Amino acid sequence: MSDKLAFLFPGQGSQTVGMLAELSNAYPKVKEVFAQASTVLDYDLWHLIQNGPKDRLNLTEHTQPAMLAGGVAVWQIWRSMGGKFPEFMTGHSLGEYSAWVCANSLKFEIAVDAVAHRAAYMQEAVPKDIGAMAAILGLKDEEVKDICQQLNNNGIVEPVNFNAPGQVVVAGHKHAVDKMIEKAQRIGAKALLLPVTIPSHCQLMLPAVTKFKEYLANISITSPSIPVVNNIDVAINNNPEDIRDALIRQLNHPVRWVEIINFLINQGVDTFIECGPGKVLAGLVKRIDRSVTVLSIFDIDSLNKALQITEKNK
């Protein structure tokens, strides 16, 4: 056994009202991290995630800083408890920002401001009810790509998240996504419209790319202390300019999650820890390769379990 560990950071979709409440009662660090974020944002982020309303938390402009802070808070608890240092990090979409912060490439306050701007630019790029995303279950990647190409004469629809074998998320114009759902269902697949209004990672995000590129040009990025596998190239970047470029391109290019996990397994990783609210990524990793150990940290019990299991491999 190689006993290599990778930390995974979740993105949008894992947020819930009341998340991390139990951990915050035992570890003051959680509220400290959210207080730092709140100072940057100029509103009480902790109050929002604890009290809602759900609709407000689910707005992209609030979800992105909330998930960033959640991942960073759990990581800081892990390190304060003497948890094993991972050989690699990565994150799903927005979660990649948590990885860069925890790998000491981005300062937390800078990252909070960056994802707030990122969310605003994404929201501005596509008017409400014009864009949509849907999960397609039960088709091969190439089948999803082929159907998207067939439909692109009537609007944009693209595969944007390759999450697991037989699970691909598409995004684009709502009418084109609706047609994708209909066609997938006709050939026996399951297709589900996602409760979002922003078609992330597709070409409709080009206006956001232009604005975000200008914004990112002025922030400080340094070489990471832990290797981070990026979403866009399934590559490890150490050069700050390469990191900056990949974060810009991530906005309108797909998340290659299956390739990322397989890359890490090929590097000798046999244990994955999802760091932050929810268990979405843990489920995806198990669908990609059932032979690896997959853990999540989102409350006291899951933290203690992860510490106990990884302690044996130190």
Side-chain angles (χ1 to χ4, degrees):
M1 275 179 74
S2 61
D3 293 336
K4 286 186 179 179
L5 173 65
F7 261 62
L8 314 175
F9 295 90
Q12 283 183 256
S14 292
Q15 73 277 2
T16 56
V17 175
M19 67 188 193
L20 303 180
E22 186 185 271
L23 273 177
S24 74
N25 290 331
Y27 300 97
K29 177 58 70 177
V30 176
K31 290 182 181 178
E32 290 174 16
V33 170
F34 276 85
Q36 285 178 274
S38 297
T39 299
V40 175
L41 298 167
D42 203 25
Y43 65 85
D44 192 335
L45 184 60
W46 180 253
H47 184 271
L48 174 59
I49 70 164
Q50 293 309 303
N51 299 286
K54 179 181 177 181
D55 289 349
R56 187 162 179 258
L57 174 60
N58 287 346
L59 290 173
T60 296
E61 63 192 272
H62 298 142
T63 304
Q64 294 200 16
M67 289 304 299
L68 169 67
V72 170
V74 173
W75 165 253
Q76 291 192 11
I77 292 169
W78 176 260
R79 292 303 301 144
S80 73
M81 295 298 290
K84 183 182 177 182
F85 214 69
E87 279 76 18
F88 300 96
M89 288 182 167
T90 191
H92 190 286
S93 186
L94 167 75
E96 190 180 318
Y97 286 81
S98 301
W100 291 116
V101 171
C102 297
N104 300 311
S105 186
L106 271 175
K107 289 185 177 179
F108 177 60
E109 290 87 351
I110 290 175
V112 171
D113 194 58
V115 300
H117 278 81
R118 178 181 186 266
Y121 297 149
M122 291 171 73
Q123 194 80 59
E124 293 166 5
V126 181
K128 188 180 178 184
D129 299 326
I130 297 298
M133 299 180 76
I136 311 298
L137 309 174
L139 296 181
K140 294 179 180 177
D141 293 355
E142 290 305 318
E143 292 177 297
V144 175
K145 290 177 184 177
D146 288 345
I147 296 173
C148 286
Q149 288 177 352
Q150 293 168 27
L151 295 173
N152 269 335
N153 289 333
N154 296 309
I156 290 172
V157 58
E158 302 171 0
V160 295
N161 293 350
F162 295 95
N163 284 336
Q167 182 178 331
V168 179
V169 172
V170 299
H173 289 113
K174 188 176 185 305
H175 64 272
V177 172
D178 287 341
K179 289 183 182 296
M180 176 75 197
I181 291 173
E182 292 172 15
K183 189 148 189 173
Q185 290 174 336
R186 279 203 304 269
I187 60 176
K190 292 182 180 180
L192 176 68
L193 192 67
L194 299 179
V196 298
T197 57
I198 297 176
S200 302
H201 300 293
C202 77
Q203 295 312 302
L204 294 180
M205 287 293 105
L206 277 170
V209 170
T210 302
K211 293 179 180 178
F212 197 49
K213 181 177 182 179
E214 184 176 340
Y215 171 85
L216 279 187
N218 298 310
I219 73 167
S220 174
I221 300 175
T222 58
S223 298
S225 57
I226 302 168
V228 174
V229 184
N230 74 28
N231 283 201
I232 181 73
D233 302 312
V234 191
I236 293 171
N237 297 132
N238 292 315
N239 183 291
E241 292 312 309
D242 292 337
I243 295 168
R244 197 185 315 271
D245 176 65
L247 289 175
I248 294 164
R249 289 184 291 125
Q250 190 210 62
L251 274 176
N252 66 321
H253 286 81
V255 175
R256 299 161 62 184
W257 193 248
V258 175
E259 291 177 81
I260 289 169
I261 298 305
N262 284 328
F263 172 85
L264 288 167
I265 292 170
N266 289 335
Q267 300 303 308
V269 173
D270 54 18
T271 303
F272 294 86
I273 294 180
E274 181 173 4
C275 183
K279 299 184 284 187
V280 171
L281 300 185
L284 295 180
V285 173
K286 273 299 183 185
R287 291 188 61 180
I288 295 167
D289 191 327
R290 300 199 67 82
S291 70
V292 297
T293 299
V294 187
L295 305 163
S296 301
I297 302 175
F298 53 87
D299 60 16
I300 292 172
D301 284 346
S302 58
L303 170 64
N304 290 336
K305 180 182 178 183
L307 286 167
Q308 183 179 13
I309 290 175
T310 55
E311 180 67 28
K312 299 173 186 176
N313 299 330
K314 274 190 178 181

